[in-house]
DNA sequence: GTCTATAGCCTGATAGAC
DNA sequence: GTCTATCAGGCTATAGAC
């Protein structure tokens, strides 16, 4: 039977482990650090989890359980631009609320995704391909500017996760206390312009004010 | 005196170290791996470099010597949009040619930039702030769409470095042999639209064709 | 200059008292 | 359930032969 104390301790350990793994990577993290952060002894950690690997695995599992939700939530029946914009906003919100989870994920991918390749090649790829088809359909219907769907999705990942993953750099460059200040307004503008169904004026030609078919 | 063999061995070691550090992070990498990759014995590595830390430091120094070049190359006398677009292209080219260097940098930032905070807070910040002033001037002159200069620069970093840093994920999702296929065309479109000096049709208002001073 | 051997530290995991 | 003590393996770095 699982007592209240056991649940609380597991939670404490996972929270401490997230702190340490996301900041140091799997190999860089030590059980000593996690134990100190959790306020428990090292053997006590291993009473709750079989191994260091098991703690890390539990964190990844928790993360992956919700990682795809924002992308899944894109509604085929919605208005295309509004749906993409809402997806971008959800991802940005996740970077704001769960920066450690974003860095945990980034650490894994950066190091070749040894523990995530299965998830990415199956679940994530299937979902992305599905969303790409939907976006292609929207484009064919003229409801969205013609952009490569995969690159569109990658660009949303890159731009939103950057604020969590490169937080240390942004903090050192910006004077603002909040490194994400202004990010939402900027990304709003960026994607509004990218997705506007009317093609913008081409590079060096003066804009013609008639909507060329 | 430094012989030809010594130069060649130093080069071999640094190349092997770049391979290993960029893929595993500092703590994840071992001298055994680097030695094996370089085809030398472990003590021989330490004949050429004082310590593991020294090898890593040499790599970072090499990297930082050129890391700012693309941003520095933005020419205040050039045409604003063309200059920004060229900067974006240079950064994308660096992701293509030097993905390991990008990942080495990303690993450091992701882990809180312990060895780079000085560089970022002084050199990089000064350069970015300088470029931000230039961009603000261009915007005031009506030659560039009004966007936050810092976020514009961050967006270029995020979008171009993503292809190097998240390469493992992209490869697993895309079918293409080249994970960067189509990236340049996509980013070209994205930034052309973002930077067009004429405000694009705001969500539901038709554009006016006079160049507002 | 390059190697084998090894010192000495750190780390993940276990034993066993309480 | 939680602790102290400790083992075994891996790691950086050095010693010393060649």
């Amino acid at each position: 039977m699982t007592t209240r104390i056991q649940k609380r301790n597991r939670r404490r350990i996972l929270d401490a482990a997230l702190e340490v793994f996301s900041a140091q990577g799997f190999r860089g993290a030590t059980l000593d650090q996690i134990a100190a952060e959790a306020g428990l002894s090292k053997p006590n950690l291993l009473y709750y989890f079989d191994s260091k690997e098991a703690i890390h695995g539990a964190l990844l599992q928790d993360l992956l359980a919700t990682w795809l939700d924002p992308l899944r939530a894109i509604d085929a029946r919605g208005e295309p631009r509004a749906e993409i914009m809402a997806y971008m906003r959800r991802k940005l919100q996740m970077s704001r609320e769960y920066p450690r989870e974003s860095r945990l994920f980034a650490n894994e991918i950066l190091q070749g995704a040894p523990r995530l390749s299965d998830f990415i090649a199956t679940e994530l790829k299937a979902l992305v391909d599905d969303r790409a088809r939907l976006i292609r359909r929207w484009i064919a219907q003229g409801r969205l500017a013609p952009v490569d769907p995969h690159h569109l999705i990658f660009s949303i990942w890159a731009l939103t996760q950057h604020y969590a993953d490169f937080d240390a750099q942004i903090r050192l460059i910006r004077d603002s206390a909040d490194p994400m200040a202004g990010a939402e307004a900027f990304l709003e503008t960026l994607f509004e312009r990218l997705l506007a169904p009317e093609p913008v004026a081409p590079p060096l030609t003066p804009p013609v004010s008639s909507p060329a078919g």
Side-chain angles (χ1 to χ4, degrees), chain A:
Chain A
M1 178 209 158
T2 312
T3 71
R4 210 167 301 126
I5 291 186
Q6 279 175 324
K7 281 205 167 180
R8 203 199 44 162
N9 275 346
R10 275 184 66 95
R11 201 155 275 292
R12 262 167 121 117
I13 293 169
L14 288 176
D15 189 69
L18 178 58
E19 191 70 30
V20 178
F21 280 131
S22 67
Q24 318 262 12
F26 180 76
R27 302 231 12 216
T30 71
L31 291 180
D32 275 309
Q33 290 174 295
I34 298 172
E37 182 82 24
L40 297 170
S41 70
K42 191 162 49 163
N44 210 359
L45 254 59
L46 295 165
Y47 168 79
Y48 287 97
F49 293 90
D50 286 344
S51 64
K52 180 184 182 183
E53 196 75 57
I55 302 177
H56 192 259
L59 282 178
L60 283 185
Q61 203 166 358
D62 286 359
L63 172 58
L64 297 188
T66 61
W67 190 247
L68 301 186
D69 286 352
L71 187 53
R72 249 194 291 263
I74 293 179
D75 188 344
R77 297 157 304 178
E79 199 281 313
R81 280 167 76 189
E83 287 294 325
I84 306 271
M85 297 302 292
Y87 171 54
M88 180 275 287
R89 261 177 247 120
R90 282 193 295 271
K91 282 289 290 175
L92 191 62
Q93 181 64 8
M94 285 190 68
S95 276
R96 197 191 307 273
E97 279 183 39
Y98 306 106
R100 299 179 305 176
E101 281 82 349
S102 183
R103 287 193 283 270
L104 183 74
F105 190 83
N107 259 302
E108 286 298 301
I109 304 298
L110 196 49
Q111 314 209 346
R115 290 166 261 259
L116 289 180
S117 48
D118 215 65
F119 168 81
I120 294 172
T122 59
E123 276 194 80
L124 178 54
K125 176 172 167 44
L127 179 57
V128 167
D129 286 349
D130 181 70
R131 280 8 211 163
R133 276 191 295 276
L134 172 59
I135 291 170
R136 236 175 255 117
R137 210 180 314 142
W138 280 340
I139 292 172
Q141 295 167 353
R143 303 166 75 192
L144 213 54
V147 293
D148 181 289
H150 280 98
H151 286 293
L152 173 61
I153 292 170
F154 295 156
S155 72
I156 293 173
W157 292 351
L159 287 167
T160 57
Q161 291 171 202
H162 185 81
Y163 287 97
D165 301 343
F166 287 72
D167 172 85
Q169 176 173 242
I170 293 174
R171 276 176 200 276
L172 288 168
I173 290 177
R174 301 198 66 197
D175 305 311
S176 160
D178 173 17
M180 288 183 71
E184 176 151 2
F186 175 82
L187 294 183
E188 204 82 29
T189 301
L190 188 151
F191 282 107
E192 281 290 354
R193 294 191 182 186
L194 175 63
L195 298 175
E198 311 282 314
V200 168
L204 291 168
T205 323
V208 180
S209 62
S210 69

